[in-house]
């Protein structure tokens, strides 16, 4: 994978057939860029998406989920075709009632109008504070500006315009077997299972169809974004889109497409973890010898979400007792015997057979990256869940967010 | 309820038939009291207990759970009889393997020996750091000292000796209908559903039997300790015991006993919440118009555990969007329509029908107590879950705990 310096055709414009832009519409008080536009110039417009499983979801999620519903489509319009994605930071448009949904529809209609495409093929994503209407005059004029700024090399600008508390723009791309996959992401903190508070757009110039894209994207997110668990809170706006232009003329085997999409998602997920709000540690929790992969994920997630574990890592304290206590809270269906579990932190097996192992003072937790290995001694399956520590800066950032 | 100044016959010695002591055995580096002994002088020794549901549980939990198993009993010994409880702070004796369990048995045997009662009627509770063996020489000699200090007015000393990060000793008592119920608790932070990291001993001079005590205690804990949710982490050592001496000669109706035990547990739970590690807010989350009480508890708990909600309260930010997003993460089985939910904070309905309500600037969050009212508009059931905010001090205390 080329994790390139992000200039030129990068991120969502790395693949042929895509243009993008990111501009300042004035939605953010800071005056930073806040509207991004990604346009698929074809020749194909196949698309798929995965969305938050939160039962409280934002108006743009309601809209965009309809666009990519494969199968019979919605209101007679075949699902799975997206010609453009408009994204704004500076407001989530969540919990804004019917008026908020009207705003989303008006946004899609305006993009459709300036591009000359059906509004029903324009995806909308929003991120920011919940419970406030978007300033539609600013947003609609911003869309005009973004349209004027569309460029083959606009990937970095688009990635920059969707940042909220992110400190860096996040892009990735990979080329192989004659096609390219690229993408952008925003999200820092609030990463959660079943997706993060996160907007991701992945593009490819491969030739594909909505069902294949859907399968590839679900497999990719399952082992990447779904296994980030920064603070266990799931957003109202989480959206991951995959768009295919077919511009390369190459129709890859589904395995190759899945591999490339997964590589881009993994790269973006690692960037999200590295930029999580106020974190001082990136913690990989590897669970081995579980009976099922789901068991391994459940154990990893329980540890990843435990505030006592997370504060211990902030304190550079290899407190394996808290890890074991967190393992003990998983559902009864997860198979393990507490008296068999081994736990290593950064290579030191400080817990052996559920009891005291090597001296905890041997563990060096001064670095940013930490590795926890939990051996359940129950089966053959493995999974890794990643998270951050719980720091003073996390509390600071999240206690001051809307004020 | 008399929430008395804790002198004289208070806490576990408020009820007739009980003596207690709290002394310094040297388990804590601080030199503070660390061993408590509670003795039931009868004439009856009926008992019940509820314990952590964590699948990783400490040696003393394994031991004491056997003692109060009602029904056929364990190893031919009828369950539900406890003549003494020995409790230590300064070490949890969790994740200490077979040797740790041997230590618990030796502790019970030593108490049995000095009191002249069967070891199988001596409950053991421990609290402190996980994963380290107890210094048995200090503990056993401490038991001798505690035995010598047993007193009718020892309730406060016992409550003091079980403190860990608690800043105050916690006792409560109530007398009515000719019998008394009293109790003590330790626990600060780490409060969690299905019990907190918490040791509680409740005593009564009522005449009862193990099955009745078990029913009364389960009902009491279900609506008190089980609805504290300070940081969502469940301990390896949580134990709540109820002992009845029968010294009053009064056999109350089960309803009266349940009411009194619930009152004492509610008082102790409120003290735990008030003393939670590093908290600046006590937050009551009242969920109304749910289809079932379980639904209401699930919604309340989801909000109570959400770090983004908790940091917002620390920042005195009435961020109702985070509350709604937390509600949205409950299981599919919980019935609600997101477009109907109202949310009030301290009496101001800042969210109405899932959207913007009154101006958030009207909400005053400067006080220590906060009240969140979530109206699901789905049914007739109600529950209240209480929690704390997530503060800098929480991170500080919990990142430095074992070092």
């Amino acid at each position: 994978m080329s994790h390139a310096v992000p200039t030129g055709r990068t991120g969502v414009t790395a693949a042929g057939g895509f243009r993008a832009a990111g501009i300042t519409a004035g939605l953010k008080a800071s005056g930073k860029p806040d509207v991004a536009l990604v346009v698929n110039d074809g020749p194909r417009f196949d698309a798929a998406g995965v969305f938050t499983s939160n039962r409280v979801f934002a108006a743009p999620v309601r809209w965009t989920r309809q666009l990519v519903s494969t199968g019979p489509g919605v209101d007679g319009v075949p699902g799975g075709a997206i010609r453009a994605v408009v994204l704004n930071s500076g407001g989530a448009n969540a919990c804004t009632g019917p008026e908020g949904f009207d705003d989303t529809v008006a946004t899609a209609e305006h993009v459709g109008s300036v591009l000359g495409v059906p509004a029903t093929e324009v995806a909308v994503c929003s991120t920011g504070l919940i419970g406030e209407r978007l300033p539609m005059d600013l947003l609609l004029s911003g869309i005009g500006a973004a349209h004027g700024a569309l460029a083959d090399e606009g990937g970095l600008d688009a990635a920059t315009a969707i940042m909220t508390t992110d400190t860096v723009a996040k892009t990735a791309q990979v080329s192989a077997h004659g096609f390219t996959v690229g993408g952008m992401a925003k999200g820092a903190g609030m990463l959660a299972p079943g997706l993060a508070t996160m907007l991701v757009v992945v593009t490819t110039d491969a030739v594909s169809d909505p069902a294949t894209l859907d399968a590839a994207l679900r497999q990719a997110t399952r082992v990447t974004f779904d296994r980030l668990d920064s603070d266990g809170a799931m957003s109202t706006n989480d959206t991951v889109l995959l768009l295919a232009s077919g511009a390369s003329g190459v129709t890859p085997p589904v395995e190759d497409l899945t591999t490339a999409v997964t590589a881009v998602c993994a790269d973006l997920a690692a960037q999200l973890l590295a930029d999580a709000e106020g974190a001082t540690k990136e913690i990989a929790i590897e669970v081995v010898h579980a009976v099922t992969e789901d068991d391994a994920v459940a154990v990893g997630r329980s540890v990843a979400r435990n505030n006592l574990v997370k504060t211990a890592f902030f304190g550079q304290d290899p407190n394996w007792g808290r890890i074991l206590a967190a393992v003990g809270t998983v559902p009864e269906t997860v198979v393990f015997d507490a008296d068999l579990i081994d736990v290593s932190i950064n290579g030191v097996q400080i817990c052996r057979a559920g009891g005291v192992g090597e001296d905890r003072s041997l563990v060096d937790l001064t670095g940013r990256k930490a590795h926890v290995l939990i051996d359940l001694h129950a089966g053959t399956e493995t999974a890794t869940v990643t998270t951050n520590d719980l720091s003073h800066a996390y509390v600071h950032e999240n206690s001051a967010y809307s004020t």
Side-chain angles (χ1 to χ4, degrees), chain A residues 8-16 18-21 38 151-156 182-183 203:
Chain A
R9 294 207 61 137
T10 185
V12 290
T13 53
F18 291 93
R19 289 176 298 151
V38 180
D152 291 346
E153 300 191 349
L156 181 61
T203 59

Side-chain angles (χ1 to χ4, degrees), chain A residues 371-394:
Chain A
H371 178 244
V372 177
L373 180 69
I374 301 171
D375 191 334
L376 296 180
H377 291 287
T380 59
E381 299 301 311
T382 295
T384 298
V385 175
T386 53
T387 191
N388 297 110
D389 58 336
L390 179 54
S391 65
H392 287 300
Y394 174 93

Side-chain angles (χ1 to χ4, degrees), chain A residues 285-290 299-300 303 323-324 327 341-344 371-377:
Chain A
I285 300 156
E286 182 180 2
V287 181
V288 300
H289 295 129
V299 167
V303 174
I323 294 172
L324 232 60
V327 172
I341 297 175
D342 299 327
V343 179
S344 298
H371 178 244
V372 177
L373 180 69
I374 301 171
D375 191 334
L376 296 180
H377 291 287

Side-chain angles (χ1 to χ4, degrees), chain A residues 23-28 34-35 135-144:
Chain A
I23 58 90
T24 300
L27 306 180
K28 287 176 176 169
D34 45 23
V35 170
M136 287 302 291
D137 51 343
L138 294 177
L139 177 54
L140 297 185
S141 68
I143 287 168

Side-chain angles (χ1 to χ4, degrees), chain A residues 40 69 71 90 102 158 179 206 219 238 266 282 286 302 312 322 339 353:
Chain A
N40 181 357
S69 56
D102 290 347
F179 69 99
Q219 167 61 15
D238 302 327
E282 297 169 38
E286 182 180 2
S302 181
R322 292 181 180 178
D339 293 333

Side-chain angles (χ1 to χ4, degrees), chain A residues 7-185:
Chain A
T7 57
R9 294 207 61 137
T10 185
V12 290
T13 53
F18 291 93
R19 289 176 298 151
I23 58 90
T24 300
L27 306 180
K28 287 176 176 169
S30 65
K32 291 184 179 173
D34 45 23
V35 170
L37 186 60
V38 180
V39 175
N40 181 357
D41 291 318
R44 295 177 61 101
F45 309 100
D46 309 88
V50 294
F51 302 89
T52 183
S53 59
N54 197 307
R55 292 168 64 188
V56 176
F57 52 86
V61 169
R62 186 186 298 269
W63 171 260
T64 304
R65 184 149 42 195
Q66 291 179 337
L67 306 192
V68 296
S69 56
T70 50
V74 176
D75 293 336
V77 180
I82 291 181
R83 289 173 186 257
V85 186
V86 57
L87 312 94
N88 75 274
S89 51
N93 195 11
C95 305
T96 44
E99 297 82 4
F101 188 71
D102 290 347
D103 290 343
T104 291
V105 175
T107 304
E109 287 174 341
H110 192 69
V111 172
S113 168
V114 298
L115 291 175
V117 303
T120 51
E121 297 184 5
V122 177
V124 182
C125 301
S126 299
T127 178
L129 191 62
I130 297 174
E132 295 188 352
R133 295 280 299 280
L134 292 172
M136 287 302 291
D137 51 343
L138 294 177
L139 177 54
L140 297 185
S141 68
I143 287 168
H147 178 239
L150 283 170
D152 291 346
E153 300 191 349
L156 181 61
D157 286 346
T160 302
I162 60 175
M163 291 164 61
T164 53
T165 54
D166 307 65
T167 63
V168 291
K170 300 169 182 75
T171 63
Q173 51 278 330
V174 58
S175 295
H177 309 301
F179 69 99
T180 292
V181 177
M184 66 179 182

